[in-house]
Amino acid sequence: MATEIKTKHLTDVIKNHGKNMTKKVVAITGTTSGTGFICAREVAKKGASVILLNRKSDRSEKSLSLLKRAVPNGIFEAINCDLQNFESVRRASETIKSNYDKLDVLVNNAGVMALEDLATLDGYDVQMQTNVLSHFLLTKELFPLMRKSEEARIVNHSSMARLGSPLDANYFEKKGGNLGGNGNEEENTSFKGPRWERYHQTKLANATFTYGLKKKLEKAGISNVIALLAHPGFAATSLQVTSAKCGGMDINSDFMQQAQSQEDGATGIIRCAMDETAISGSFYGPTEGWKGYPNELIPEDMLLEDHNINTNWDGCEKAVGEFNL
């Protein structure tokens, strides 16, 4: 589907907001396709050294080859990082700390959507561990390296699914496989039911992590690390394909035909990574809701509420350890 949709905004975003990234080190999760692949390609074109964090697979090897072909002079390093395995995330973090003196941008991009009610080997919901807990762990482990940057950026990727009920601590606990089941076909194809509630919880958590981190950075007097947020609108990426395969949605629905391209879906995180005017707390995404140019947005009140911020932070620390700034 992505190849059938015309890209409208990427060129202008790079022209207006893509600063020189020479000598910058950028780490991105989930670069085998979709928004992560586009972000990796574009920051490499601007001169960044790019760390690609994915599970080892044929897809990750193919995407690395495609990136090298797209940016012949680009600097890429692929590091195995399975977000469904905390030990893998810790090993990837140690490899990065061994290979680099600093980290300038961390893009917590990877995500899964509306998957079945399954537990990871660590015991957590597969969506929550992939989208939230492992990104919290990765950020925590790499934070000392980011402190060595003149201006480091921690970029979190949310979505329109952030809107909904408050965060519930149950979703952060070792209750994978026991968080509401899989829902029925009507619920799944209309973006309702337990699969979509679990996904909503992760996307709200991504957003509240940003604003919780912003507050903690300010309280600690840390000014060389900023926290930013983006959402892709409704973009045609492999998220929809994966969800459809396991019964989470209808890939051929009329609604799906309204998506924007994966290139345009990546423009929010691209602005976060490269916009010179970005400050801590900046939030970029389509102002038209589902699609459009990635303008600066005002975060909804629920993203700033103490309950949601504390539920996310406490749940993540309980799962992967304290994050001391």
Side-chain angles (χ1 to χ4, degrees):
M1 182 188 303
T3 58
E4 301 172 0
I5 301 171
K6 183 179 179 180
T7 295
K8 299 179 179 179
H9 305 295
L10 178 62
T11 299
D12 286 341
V13 169
I14 297 300
K15 178 182 177 181
N16 297 333
H17 309 291
K19 69 177 183 178
N20 190 331
M21 299 292 285
T22 302
K23 296 184 179 179
K24 299 287 188 183
V25 180
V26 179
I28 309 172
T29 63
T31 66
T32 58
S33 64
T35 56
F37 179 90
I38 302 303
C39 185
R41 186 187 72 195
E42 297 305 319
V43 295
K45 287 180 180 178
K46 287 290 186 176
S49 298
V50 187
I51 303 168
L52 312 170
L53 298 171
N54 305 287
R55 283 186 290 185
K56 188 174 178 60
S57 67
D58 292 341
R59 288 180 67 216
S60 64
E61 292 178 5
K62 180 180 179 181
S63 63
L64 176 58
S65 297
L66 291 173
L67 285 168
K68 289 180 175 179
R69 190 182 311 166
V71 193
N73 296 324
I75 303 171
F76 300 100
E77 181 181 9
I79 294 176
N80 183 32
C81 182
D82 183 354
L83 296 174
Q84 295 179 20
N85 183 314
F86 290 148
E87 184 54 38
S88 175
V89 176
R90 292 188 174 96
R91 286 196 301 267
S93 301
E94 289 304 314
T95 300
I96 294 171
K97 287 186 279 190
S98 296
N99 294 355
Y100 296 88
D101 296 326
K102 63 163 185 168
L103 180 62
D104 299 291
V105 183
L106 172 62
V107 183
N108 292 321
N109 164 75
V112 293
M113 181 175 70
L115 297 188
E116 294 174 300
D117 194 0
L118 297 171
T120 65
L121 291 176
D122 295 300
Y124 296 89
D125 172 62
V126 65
Q127 293 190 77
M128 183 59 73
Q129 181 161 343
T130 303
N131 298 0
V132 179
L133 300 177
S134 284
H135 281 131
F136 185 94
L137 174 59
L138 186 66
T139 306
K140 176 175 82 78
E141 293 298 314
L142 295 178
F143 189 76
L145 208 56
M146 305 194 81
R147 290 284 281 128
K148 297 179 181 179
S149 169
E150 290 185 6
E151 187 219 44
R153 302 180 178 208
I154 297 166
V155 180
N156 295 309
H157 216 185
S158 186
S159 81
M160 291 293 288
R162 69 189 181 277
L163 304 175
S165 57
L167 287 182
D168 182 338
N170 282 310
Y171 291 92
F172 293 81
E173 296 180 2
K174 282 191 175 184
K175 296 182 178 180
N178 190 30
L179 287 168
N182 297 322
N184 58 46
E185 183 177 355
E186 181 179 355
E187 289 175 324
N188 294 333
T189 56
S190 59
F191 311 107
K192 298 177 182 178
R195 290 180 189 241
W196 290 100
E197 177 60 24
R198 293 193 297 273
Y199 181 61
H200 155 68
Q201 290 282 318
T202 71
K203 293 292 101 179
L204 177 55
N206 292 149
T208 57
F209 177 38
T210 302
Y211 293 105
L213 182 58
K214 177 180 180 290
K215 288 177 63 174
K216 289 180 181 292
L217 289 167
E218 291 170 349
K219 185 176 181 180
I222 296 172
S223 59
N224 72 311
V225 183
I226 62 176
L228 302 108
L229 181 65
H231 85 84
F234 183 32
T237 70
S238 60
L239 266 181
Q240 286 82 11
V241 175
T242 302
S243 178
K245 283 182 178 178
C246 72
M249 66 189 304
D250 181 2
I251 195 69
N252 296 312
S253 67
D254 291 340
F255 179 71
M256 284 299 303
Q257 309 311 310
Q258 301 174 39
Q260 62 181 355
S261 72
Q262 62 182 1
E263 286 83 3
D264 285 342
T267 53
I269 52 174
I270 288 171
R271 279 201 71 173
C272 286
M274 295 199 285
D275 193 323
E276 290 185 318
T277 68
I279 60 174
S280 199
S282 290
F283 179 17
Y284 299 110
T287 50
E288 301 165 22
W290 294 113
K291 61 177 75 174
Y293 196 88
N295 293 297
E296 186 157 9
L297 307 176
I298 298 174
E300 296 85 7
D301 289 344
M302 66 187 305
L303 309 190
L304 310 175
E305 289 174 358
D306 287 341
H307 165 79
N308 289 326
I309 287 174
N310 294 336
T311 299
N312 173 73
W313 201 276
D314 294 346
C316 289
E317 285 197 326
K318 182 179 176 181
V320 302
E322 290 186 16
F323 186 168
N324 296 313
L325 278 64

